[in-house]
Amino acid sequence: MSYSLENPFSRALVAGAVAGTTVDLSLYPIDTLKTRLQSRGGFAASGGFRNIYAGAASAALGAAPGAALFFVSYEWTKDVLSQRKGLQNGARAEQEQWIDPVKHMAAASVGEVAACAVRVPTEVVKQRAQAMEYRSSPAALAAIIAKRKAIGAYGVFRELYRGWNITVMREVPFTIIQFPLWEAMKEWRTRTQGTDQITALDSAVFGSLAGAVAAGITTPLDVLKTRMMLSRERQKSISLLSQILKDSGPRAFFAGIGPRILWISAGGFIFLGSYQYAYNSLASPGST
């Protein structure tokens, strides 16, 4: 039995949800180890290798809607910008080859900001459980909500979205590196093979390579984001940056770079491979 969706945005919605859930749950232990390596208390004090699925509940709840929001926004923005490009094409077409990478950067940026609406509160709850500050995701969430009497409903909202700015600052640079690389490799593959559709395996390999490059470059931003989310008091990015430099030196900004590259490289393979598989399947069964 097969099922297809004609609307490309509906396919992106479903395929993104499938991809997000698949990658977040399959690679969750590596994400936990990375978080503990980057925590201020250190790896052992934050739990070491114990209970590496701590916080998985919040990741499971946030994975599907976050990834779905990203891909719907990404594909919509690409479509809008492609239509504008089509209106401007003609004699200048050969001079506008740079437009595609810019289009992919812009689409990825819009997608990430949309996804962060779900991702940030999920990350706050998840990472506090991963760092063993609380025994589980529900306990971490309950502790945040319990602050309502002291800080009010808006204060709880701000606590759940702690690290919003630095998360966007991390995710946007990451995606404007990863997605143009991924799209360029896909375009190269379809051009050299003379086909108009990419396979799930090709998409997975290209996603892994692009993700590894982007992960290494953006590790310092990831460290800053993790420290901010785990901090017991709200801190500005600049003051936290200065504190990390003072306490641990520049090397601290590359803490967990190995697990991060491993996790995101494998994640890129699973995420963009499963996305392409689901997208192709929903478009025309048998074309995966």
Side-chain angles (χ1 to χ4, degrees):
M1 182 178 178
S2 61
Y3 182 73
S4 64
L5 291 173
E6 295 298 325
N7 189 307
F9 300 114
S10 297
R11 293 201 301 270
L13 180 75
V14 176
V18 170
T21 303
T22 301
V23 70
D24 278 14
L25 295 184
S26 61
L27 297 178
Y28 193 81
I30 300 175
D31 182 42
T32 298
L33 298 180
K34 183 225 38 152
T35 297
R36 292 174 180 177
L37 282 167
Q38 293 178 347
S39 66
R40 186 177 183 181
F43 181 70
S46 297
F49 291 99
R50 295 180 288 109
N51 196 16
I52 57 176
Y53 275 95
S58 61
L61 288 174
L69 264 176
F70 172 83
F71 276 110
V72 167
S73 303
Y74 179 72
E75 295 293 344
W76 177 81
T77 306
K78 279 204 309 180
D79 184 65
V80 169
L81 295 178
S82 294
Q83 290 176 14
R84 289 181 61 85
K85 178 186 174 184
L87 293 174
Q88 297 170 0
N89 271 347
R92 300 175 57 195
E94 293 183 0
Q95 302 175 6
E96 297 181 349
Q97 294 179 358
W98 55 269
I99 289 181
D100 278 343
V102 173
K103 176 181 70 177
H104 297 144
M105 289 180 185
S109 299
V110 171
E112 278 300 342
V113 172
C116 280
V118 174
R119 184 178 298 139
V120 171
T122 298
E123 285 273 303
V124 168
V125 173
K126 180 195 73 174
Q127 290 194 330
R128 292 183 185 186
Q130 285 178 323
M132 303 299 286
E133 293 183 8
Y134 301 95
R135 67 179 183 276
S136 64
S137 291
L141 179 60
I144 294 172
I145 295 174
K147 295 180 180 181
R148 182 178 178 182
K149 291 183 179 180
I151 61 178
Y154 180 64
V156 170
F157 174 83
R158 291 189 66 196
E159 188 69 14
L160 283 170
Y161 279 89
R162 181 192 289 193
W164 165 271
N165 291 339
I166 190 61
T167 302
V168 172
M169 285 172 58
R170 179 198 67 173
E171 296 296 344
V172 169
F174 177 87
T175 52
I176 66 175
I177 296 169
Q178 183 188 31
F179 274 79
L181 283 175
W182 177 60
E183 294 280 9
M185 286 187 280
K186 288 199 303 175
E187 193 277 332
W188 167 81
R189 187 64 165 176
T190 55
R191 187 178 68 251
T192 56
Q193 288 194 330
T195 180
D196 60 354
Q197 190 170 46
I198 194 78
T199 67
L201 179 59
D202 285 339
S203 178
V205 172
F206 300 150
S208 178
L209 293 173
V213 172
I217 294 172
T218 58
T219 295
L221 291 172
D222 186 56
V223 172
L224 192 61
K225 187 268 312 180
T226 299
R227 292 285 187 94
M228 183 171 290
M229 286 186 170
L230 293 178
S231 175
R232 294 194 177 276
E233 302 294 333
R234 296 185 66 87
Q235 285 184 274
K236 293 186 179 296
S237 301
I238 298 300
S239 63
L240 183 57
L241 174 67
S242 300
Q243 181 184 329
I244 295 172
L245 283 171
K246 180 181 177 181
D247 295 345
S248 308
R251 292 184 61 184
F253 288 102
F254 291 92
I257 188 171
R260 176 169 165 79
I261 290 176
L262 173 65
W263 168 54
I264 291 181
S265 179
F269 186 94
I270 297 170
F271 184 55
L272 294 173
S274 58
Y275 172 78
Q276 199 70 51
Y277 181 88
Y279 191 89
N280 291 352
S281 298
L282 292 168
S284 52
S287 62
T288 57

